[in-house]
């Protein structure tokens, strides 16, 4: 939500389109709520920002659900879901119980904004991430590659006017650079509690060792 507010302040207006990869969809819901706040504020225009969210193929539960235009999540066999999740690179997008159909959830956000759910396979997201690195000088995480790939698809399809204000939420990046440029130190746990330690007496003794 705060990224949308920042974009509006920087551009002086509400974006026309908002692109983000989603697993639960809560980020897109927050973007919608930020749009509502900006409309209530009145200083940044009256644009209803179109949400264009995307998933990593073959795990496209939200896309399948939205395609049916129903509040109910699409039925997904558990074994099939596990195979699909194992096949995607953007594993953080693998939420099997997103807040989709609840009041104020992703279904409402997409409906209000006239939004759409897109998707990208592993090859497409990698190509998009490579392009981002070449053009912007920064590595991005797989889910950001999914969002960028979806933006590229929409532009290629002619769905985005040339004069449109577009916001791309790059939800993660710079990890490879961090490992390259900095020395990483891994913090060891100060206290490890095993399952058989979960009792008041044992926990008290464990805590006293800190």
């Amino acid at each position: 939500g705060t990224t949308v507010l920042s974009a509006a302040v920087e551009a002086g207006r509400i974006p026309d389109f908002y692109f983000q990869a989603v697993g639960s969809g809560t980020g897109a819901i927050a973007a919608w709520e930020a749009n509502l706040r900006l409309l209530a504020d009145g200083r940044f225009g009256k644009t209803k920002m179109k949400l264009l969210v995307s998933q990593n193929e073959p795990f496209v539960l939200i896309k399948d659900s939205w395609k049916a235009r129903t509040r109910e999540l699409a039925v997904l066999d558990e074994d099939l879901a596990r195979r699909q999740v194992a096949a995607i690179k953007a594993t953080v997008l693998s939420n099997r119980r997103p807040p989709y159909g609840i009041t104020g959830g992703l279904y409402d956000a997409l409906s209000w904004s006239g939004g759409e759910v897109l998707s990208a396979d592993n090859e497409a997201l990698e190509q998009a991430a490579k392009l981002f690195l070449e053009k912007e000088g920064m590595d991005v995480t797989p889910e950001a590659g999914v969002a960028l790939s979806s933006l590229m698809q929409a532009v290629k399809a002619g769905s985005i006017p040339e004069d449109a204000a577009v916001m791309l939420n790059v939800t993660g990046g710079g990890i490879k650079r961090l490992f390259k440029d900095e020395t990483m130190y891994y913090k060891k746990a100060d206290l490890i509690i095993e399952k058989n330690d979960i009792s008041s007496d044992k926990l008290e003794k464990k805590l006293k060792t800190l």
Side-chain angles (χ1 to χ4, degrees), residues 40-58:
D41 178 273
R43 291 176 294 171
F44 299 92
K46 299 180 180 180
T47 301
K48 292 177 68 172
M49 183 176 68
K50 185 171 184 176
L51 299 178
L52 291 159
V53 300
S54 48
Q55 295 200 285
N56 189 182
E57 299 172 8

Side-chain angles (χ1 to χ4, degrees), residues 91-163:
T91 55
V92 298
L93 306 181
S94 60
N95 192 319
R96 284 188 270 171
R97 292 175 177 80
Y100 174 78
I102 62 171
T103 300
L106 189 56
Y107 178 87
D108 286 340
L110 290 167
S111 298
W112 181 89
S113 71
E116 193 55 77
V117 184
L118 309 173
S119 61
D121 60 23
N122 290 339
E123 182 179 359
L125 76 84
E126 288 178 339
Q127 291 176 349
K130 181 180 179 181
L131 180 63
F132 195 95
L133 178 61
E134 291 174 354
K135 299 297 184 181
E136 300 293 337
M138 183 62 67
D139 62 278
V140 296
T141 54
E143 62 273 14
V146 169
L148 177 56
S149 177
S150 296
L151 170 57
M152 293 164 64
Q153 292 174 42
V155 170
K156 187 175 181 180
S159 303
I160 310 296
E162 290 187 3
D163 60 348

Side-chain angles (χ1 to χ4, degrees), residues 14-121:
I14 300 168
D16 295 310
F17 298 91
Y18 175 87
F19 285 82
Q20 182 183 341
V22 294
S24 66
T26 51
I29 295 168
W32 167 45
E33 293 174 345
N35 191 175
L36 295 174
R37 289 185 173 90
L38 289 166
L39 290 173
D41 178 273
R43 291 176 294 171
F44 299 92
K46 299 180 180 180
T47 301
K48 292 177 68 172
M49 183 176 68
K50 185 171 184 176
L51 299 178
L52 291 159
V53 300
S54 48
Q55 295 200 285
N56 189 182
E57 299 172 8
F59 186 81
V60 288
L61 176 61
I62 291 174
K63 182 178 180 180
D64 289 342
S65 302
W66 177 246
K67 186 177 180 180
R69 292 299 191 273
T70 173
R71 282 186 177 275
E72 299 298 322
L73 277 173
V75 178
L76 187 60
D77 177 78
E78 289 293 318
D79 289 335
L80 176 60
R82 281 192 284 270
R83 291 197 299 271
Q84 290 179 345
V85 169
I88 64 175
K89 288 189 175 295
T91 55
V92 298
L93 306 181
S94 60
N95 192 319
R96 284 188 270 171
R97 292 175 177 80
Y100 174 78
I102 62 171
T103 300
L106 189 56
Y107 178 87
D108 286 340
L110 290 167
S111 298
W112 181 89
S113 71
E116 193 55 77
V117 184
L118 309 173
S119 61
D121 60 23

